[in-house]
Amino acid sequence: MEPSTLITVAPTGAESAKNDVPALPVTLEELVTTAKECQEAGAAVIHVHIRDAAASPTLDLGRLTATVQALRESTSLIVQLSTGGAVTDSFHDRLRVLDADPDACSLTCGTVNFGDEVFANPWRFICDLYQRTQERGVVPEFELFDLGHVATLHRLLAEFGPPAGGHVHADLVMGVPGGMAGDAATLVASVAALPRGATWSATGIGRTTLPVMFAALAAGGHLRVGMEDTLSFARGRPVTSNAELVERAASAAALSQRPPMSPQRAREFLGVRDRT
Ligand code: KMH
Ligand code: ZN
């Protein structure tokens, strides 16, 4: 099969305010429109954080469930709900995200300083969340913000066995203030430490977006892009839509002779079950 690049879009995140970033999709309607545009541009997975009526981050189960359903009705993207939420979310609410019955979810493999905050992921919470993904058949994407998180991923697999779907796919989240640097040397070191047979994507936060994207393509990895991770398209030029970030990633992937992977192929690749 022709080599291809999995592109995940992370359109919203929990950190930016709509007032500061008008192009951020925060309503269900905006999110669905963004998702359709991003699928058209080459995305196969959508990493979802949602907002409440006041555009504040929320893990409200009713809203999450409606979001999963709406994205399924309008796109063929793999719906990956964030279990990271916002740094203020409780472990209870983060575990409950799986009740919204997504295809996939993020699963961060350790605590990390997160700017001035702490993104808390203690071992026991990681174990509970992982076992819940196995019980529910929700495919986890292992979010790795630091090299120590790679060690925890090994520990998790050794203790509890393979994930739902049987395949390990990780996402290197690089350049977070407090996490690993977003550069080629750090990416290569992290990839070398991954479990044998694992596949991986990478994303660079803020100004590390482009170095990480090019390093990931050069090293044979996959890509995550989106306004959760970067709000600047170029120096002094704000991002106007998530789709333009996906288009840029798709162009770079095509130049690398690994064009974007279709959502159907991505399901096989990640071990995500068909909805039918
Ligand atoms: N918003 C960050 C605190 C995830 O989605 O799983 C956590 C985050 C990771 O974005
Ligand atoms: Zn996220």
Side-chain angles (χ1 to χ4, degrees):
M1 191 171 295
E2 185 194 30
S4 54
T5 304
L6 178 74
I7 300 179
T8 298
V9 64
T12 308
E15 283 71 40
S16 297
K18 180 75 169 173
N19 281 346
D20 300 334
V21 188
L24 199 70
V26 295
T27 65
L28 184 52
E29 200 185 349
E30 287 170 346
L31 185 63
V32 167
T33 301
T34 297
K36 286 187 199 161
E37 291 169 358
C38 291
Q39 180 176 326
E40 184 68 28
V45 179
I46 185 164
H47 168 83
V48 179
H49 291 254
I50 62 163
R51 303 294 176 100
D52 64 15
S56 298
T58 179
L59 293 179
D60 177 83
L61 185 56
R63 278 183 184 265
L64 283 171
T65 305
T67 302
V68 171
Q69 284 168 359
L71 289 169
R72 283 200 177 133
E73 274 161 24
S74 311
T75 76
S76 44
L77 294 170
I78 293 170
V79 181
Q80 179 195 95
L81 289 184
S82 166
T83 63
V87 290
T88 46
D89 284 319
S90 68
F91 297 135
H92 171 270
D93 287 355
R94 290 171 56 191
L95 287 172
R96 200 182 52 182
V97 164
L98 297 196
D99 292 353
D101 196 27
D103 299 313
C105 70
S106 56
L107 192 162
T108 298
C109 291
T111 294
V112 64
N113 281 313
F114 197 79
D116 294 347
E117 316 286 342
V118 174
F119 177 31
N121 296 281
W123 171 243
R124 279 290 142 217
F125 170 71
I126 294 170
C127 296
D128 289 351
L129 179 54
Y130 187 54
Q131 288 175 287
R132 200 174 278 218
T133 62
Q134 290 175 312
E135 286 158 18
R136 306 283 177 93
V138 176
V139 173
E141 179 181 84
F142 300 98
E143 307 280 331
L144 309 173
F145 289 66
D146 220 335
L147 206 49
H149 296 190
V150 185
T152 297
L153 172 57
H154 282 273
R155 184 181 174 198
L156 196 62
L157 297 173
E159 207 150 312
F160 298 104
H167 176 69
V168 175
H169 184 80
D171 180 41
L172 305 174
V173 184
M174 311 185 72
V176 168
M180 63 182 151
D183 57 36
T186 307
L187 182 139
V188 168
S190 304
V191 170
L194 289 175
R196 187 186 296 274
T199 55
W200 56 278
S201 306
T203 184
I205 304 302
R207 69 188 59 181
T208 70
T209 292
L210 288 174
V212 168
M213 182 173 84
F214 289 120
L217 287 171
H222 300 271
L223 303 177
R224 174 173 126 170
V225 295
M227 295 177 74
E228 174 167 345
D229 299 339
T230 187
L231 296 169
S232 292
F233 192 82
R235 209 167 282 134
R237 200 300 233 155
V239 171
T240 57
S241 72
N242 280 285
E244 69 173 354
L245 293 171
V246 176
E247 277 160 17
R248 181 168 69 178
S251 301
L255 260 180
S256 308
Q257 300 292 295
R258 286 196 296 126
M261 193 182 286
S262 70
Q264 185 51 44
R265 170 79 189 106
R267 275 172 199 277
E268 295 159 20
F269 175 73
L270 296 171
V272 172
R273 60 189 174 202
D274 267 334
R275 290 168 197 160
T276 49

